[in-house]
Amino acid sequence: MGEAERGDTAPRLYVSYFCSNNHETRPAFAADAQIPETWDCPRCGLPANLDADNPPPPPKITPYKTHLAYVKERRSDEEAAAILTEALELLRSRRANGEVIY
Ligand SMILES: [Zn+2]
Protein backbone atom coordinates (compact mmCIF):
# COMPACT_ATOMS: atom_id res chain seq x y z
CA MET A 1 0.00 0.00 0.00
CA GLY A 2 2.76 2.43 0.91
CA GLU A 3 4.84 4.27 -1.66
CA ALA A 4 8.09 3.00 -0.18
CA GLU A 5 7.06 -0.60 -0.47
CA ARG A 6 6.14 -0.16 -4.10
CA GLY A 7 9.42 1.64 -4.74
CA ASP A 8 11.45 -1.15 -3.22
CA THR A 9 9.90 -3.82 -5.34
CA ALA A 10 9.77 -1.90 -8.63
CA PRO A 11 12.08 -3.67 -11.06
CA ARG A 12 15.05 -1.58 -12.04
CA LEU A 13 17.04 -1.69 -15.17
CA TYR A 14 20.67 -0.64 -15.09
CA VAL A 15 21.86 0.65 -18.41
CA SER A 16 25.51 1.27 -19.28
CA TYR A 17 26.41 4.41 -21.16
CA PHE A 18 29.85 5.17 -22.52
CA CYS A 19 31.39 8.53 -23.32
CA SER A 20 34.39 9.17 -25.54
CA ASN A 21 36.62 9.44 -22.44
CA ASN A 22 35.91 5.77 -21.69
CA HIS A 23 33.79 6.58 -18.69
CA GLU A 24 30.99 4.19 -18.00
CA THR A 25 27.94 5.33 -16.17
CA ARG A 26 25.07 3.10 -15.16
CA PRO A 27 21.93 5.02 -14.35
CA ALA A 28 18.97 2.95 -13.20
CA PHE A 29 15.66 3.16 -14.94
CA ALA A 30 12.29 1.81 -14.05
CA ALA A 31 11.83 -1.36 -16.05
CA ASP A 32 8.95 0.15 -17.96
CA ALA A 33 10.66 3.50 -18.56
CA GLN A 34 11.84 4.51 -21.98
CA ILE A 35 15.62 4.22 -22.12
CA PRO A 36 17.17 7.30 -23.70
CA GLU A 37 19.72 6.74 -26.45
CA THR A 38 22.15 9.23 -24.99
CA TRP A 39 23.08 10.28 -21.51
CA ASP A 40 25.33 13.05 -20.27
CA CYS A 41 28.43 11.59 -18.64
CA PRO A 42 28.36 12.70 -14.99
CA ARG A 43 32.17 12.66 -14.82
CA CYS A 44 33.11 14.80 -17.80
CA GLY A 45 29.80 16.08 -19.14
CA LEU A 46 30.29 14.66 -22.61
CA PRO A 47 27.44 12.86 -24.27
CA ALA A 48 27.45 9.11 -23.76
CA ASN A 49 25.57 6.35 -25.55
CA LEU A 50 24.93 2.64 -25.31
CA ASP A 51 27.66 1.59 -27.73
CA ALA A 52 30.92 1.03 -25.86
CA ASP A 53 32.89 0.68 -29.10
CA ASN A 54 31.46 3.75 -30.68
CA PRO A 55 30.70 6.48 -28.14
CA PRO A 56 29.45 9.79 -29.45
CA PRO A 57 32.24 12.19 -30.42
CA PRO A 58 32.70 15.25 -28.24
CA PRO A 59 30.58 18.10 -29.55
CA LYS A 60 32.41 20.60 -31.70
CA ILE A 61 33.18 23.81 -29.93
CA THR A 62 31.46 26.39 -32.06
CA PRO A 63 33.82 29.28 -32.71
CA TYR A 64 32.73 32.08 -30.52
CA LYS A 65 33.54 35.63 -31.39
CA THR A 66 34.43 37.71 -28.42
CA HIS A 67 33.25 41.24 -28.01
CA LEU A 68 36.84 42.30 -28.64
CA ALA A 69 36.85 40.45 -31.98
CA TYR A 70 33.86 42.45 -33.08
CA VAL A 71 35.49 45.64 -31.89
CA LYS A 72 38.64 44.82 -33.82
CA GLU A 73 36.67 44.41 -37.01
CA ARG A 74 35.49 47.95 -36.76
CA ARG A 75 38.47 49.71 -35.21
CA SER A 76 42.20 49.97 -35.46
CA ASP A 77 44.42 48.04 -33.09
CA GLU A 78 45.30 51.13 -31.09
CA GLU A 79 41.68 52.01 -30.57
CA ALA A 80 40.93 48.44 -29.60
CA ALA A 81 43.83 48.45 -27.16
CA ALA A 82 42.57 51.67 -25.61
CA ILE A 83 39.10 50.19 -25.28
CA LEU A 84 40.54 47.04 -23.77
CA THR A 85 42.59 49.03 -21.27
CA GLU A 86 39.55 51.05 -20.34
CA ALA A 87 37.50 47.90 -19.91
CA LEU A 88 40.21 46.31 -17.77
CA GLU A 89 40.47 49.37 -15.58
CA LEU A 90 36.73 49.42 -15.14
CA LEU A 91 36.80 45.73 -14.30
CA ARG A 92 39.64 46.21 -11.81
CA SER A 93 37.88 49.04 -10.04
CA ARG A 94 34.64 47.08 -9.92
CA ARG A 95 36.56 44.08 -8.61
CA ALA A 96 38.16 46.27 -5.96
CA ASN A 97 34.68 47.38 -4.91
CA GLY A 98 33.59 43.79 -4.68
CA GLU A 99 31.07 44.20 -7.49
CA VAL A 100 32.57 41.39 -9.52
CA ILE A 101 34.18 38.29 -8.15
CA TYR A 102 36.00 36.89 -11.17
ZN1 LIG B 1 32.98 10.93 -19.42
Side-chain angles (χ1 to χ4, degrees):
M1 260 175 270
E3 287 287 326
E5 193 173 292
R6 226 173 20 193
D8 285 345
T9 55
R12 296 244 164 238
L13 200 59
Y14 289 90
V15 181
S16 289
Y17 289 90
F18 305 89
C19 78
S20 57
N21 284 332
N22 296 319
H23 299 142
E24 181 181 353
T25 182
R26 298 189 69 202
F29 296 93
D32 58 353
Q34 247 207 320
I35 308 301
E37 277 178 38
T38 60
W39 193 260
D40 284 344
C41 174
R43 287 174 64 187
C44 67
L46 289 180
N49 68 10
L50 302 165
D51 186 353
D53 295 325
N54 191 22
K60 295 253 190 321
I61 310 294
T62 47
Y64 168 75
K65 248 189 202 176
T66 62
H67 178 67
L68 181 61
Y70 282 110
V71 169
K72 276 189 164 176
E73 276 178 7
R74 296 197 308 261
R75 297 169 192 271
S76 72
D77 281 353
E78 291 105 78
E79 281 173 320
I83 287 165
L84 180 63
T85 306
E86 195 182 306
L88 280 175
E89 275 165 11
L90 179 66
L91 181 63
R92 286 197 188 103
S93 71
R94 293 182 67 195
R95 191 187 282 146
N97 292 338
E99 286 178 50
V100 285
I101 54 166
Y102 51 87

